[in-house]
Amino acid sequence: MSDANEPAGTVEPGGGATGAGAADGPAAETGSAAAAAPPQAAAEANDPAGTPDSADAGPVRRVRVVLVDDHRMFRTGVQAEIGQTERTGVEVVGEAADVDQAVSVITATRPEVVLLDVHLPGGGGVEVLRRCAPLMADAEQPVRFLALSVSDAAEDVIGVIRGGARGYVTKTITGTDLVNSVFRVQDGDAVFSPRLAGFVLDAFASTDAPPVDEDLDRLTQREREVLRLIARGYAYKEIAKQLFISVKTVESHVSAVLRKLQLSNRHELTRWATARRLV
């Protein structure tokens, strides 16, 4: 569920694409460090023999990226942090704010890597992965996905990895590390923020499929996120600030969660979430 309505993405001449729209809050932290140069550029900078003449130097490595996130201000921040192509090697060729836009822009631009938010209008990041499965399976020009989300919940991490994403990093990542992660995913590596890798190892350590929680399945992705923060003891204002939504929207989500789970108050909600290890 999104709190921002944005028009459909558009494909620009030369293969670029954009999806404009108004965000419902300030941009999430993308890290204060400047984006790193791609591996080859870094190697040349450290070459004791000096920088080779342009006629002799090989091409600087590049990677084409699409940004998928329902907050325009966050997309703008990521673009500013990593999208200076001559310095970072990252070329942002498209943006999208919801599932339909994402599938359209990714199909039109065929990037090497997609930075994908987990919670999107229209079904979330998992739905984007499902609809882009043929592009991921393309042997000659595969599109690879790296989840970039504010959420650090195990079910979100496991969900997108099962869907085909090559990694999962949180929005506290620095620009330098994000650039490096993008190039690693382009190479086919799996990339995770340190504490999230354990979720994946635990999930795939057993061949048994996890049991389906019908109560939890009644909730939308955004409602699960609000539920988790409520159970952790966050006040409504704190949740609104962290999720970039209004306090009124938080209250609406809490009411919906209580109704769907047939609970009376946030104390019962906290016990419910704790019993399912969602906190």
Side-chain angles (χ1 to χ4, degrees), residues 73-96:
M73 290 180 66
F74 178 75
R75 297 197 309 270
T76 300
V78 174
Q79 168 79 278
E81 188 77 13
I82 73 172
Q84 299 179 31
T85 309
E86 294 304 317
R87 180 166 60 88
T88 66
V90 176
E91 179 186 2
V92 178
V93 297
E95 299 181 9

Side-chain angles (χ1 to χ4, degrees), residues 9 13-14 21 28 36 69 81 144 163 183 194 227 231 248 271-272:
D69 193 287
E81 188 77 13
R144 296 188 168 102
F183 277 103
L227 162 66
K248 185 176 180 180
R271 289 196 297 269
W272 188 93

Side-chain angles (χ1 to χ4, degrees), residues 117-200:
D117 192 14
V118 175
H119 303 301
L120 295 168
V126 172
E127 178 64 13
V128 175
L129 291 165
R130 185 188 68 80
R131 291 169 59 178
C132 290
L135 300 180
M136 289 189 283
D138 188 326
E140 295 185 0
Q141 190 182 353
V143 176
R144 296 188 168 102
F145 288 79
L146 173 63
L148 175 61
S149 176
V150 70
S151 172
D152 61 358
E155 64 266 25
D156 288 337
V157 178
I158 295 166
V160 295
I161 297 305
R162 288 191 186 278
R166 296 296 305 175
Y168 194 116
V169 294
T170 60
K171 289 181 177 179
T172 57
I173 192 170
T174 66
T176 299
D177 288 342
L178 184 56
V179 169
N180 290 336
S181 296
V182 166
F183 277 103
R184 288 180 59 193
V185 168
Q186 182 191 27
D187 289 337
D189 292 344
V191 179
F192 296 92
S193 293
R195 68 179 298 268
L196 305 185
F199 295 155
V200 180

Side-chain angles (χ1 to χ4, degrees), residues 5-83:
N5 295 319
E6 304 197 17
T10 58
V11 178
E12 299 177 345
T18 61
D24 52 9
E29 179 183 356
T30 59
S32 59
Q40 181 170 336
E44 291 174 355
N46 295 324
D47 184 0
T51 303
D53 295 334
S54 57
D56 299 325
V60 175
R61 186 175 176 189
R62 298 290 175 88
V63 58
R64 300 171 69 253
V65 171
V66 164
L67 305 178
V68 180
D69 193 287
D70 62 341
H71 293 96
R72 181 177 60 182
M73 290 180 66
F74 178 75
R75 297 197 309 270
T76 300
V78 174
Q79 168 79 278
E81 188 77 13
I82 73 172

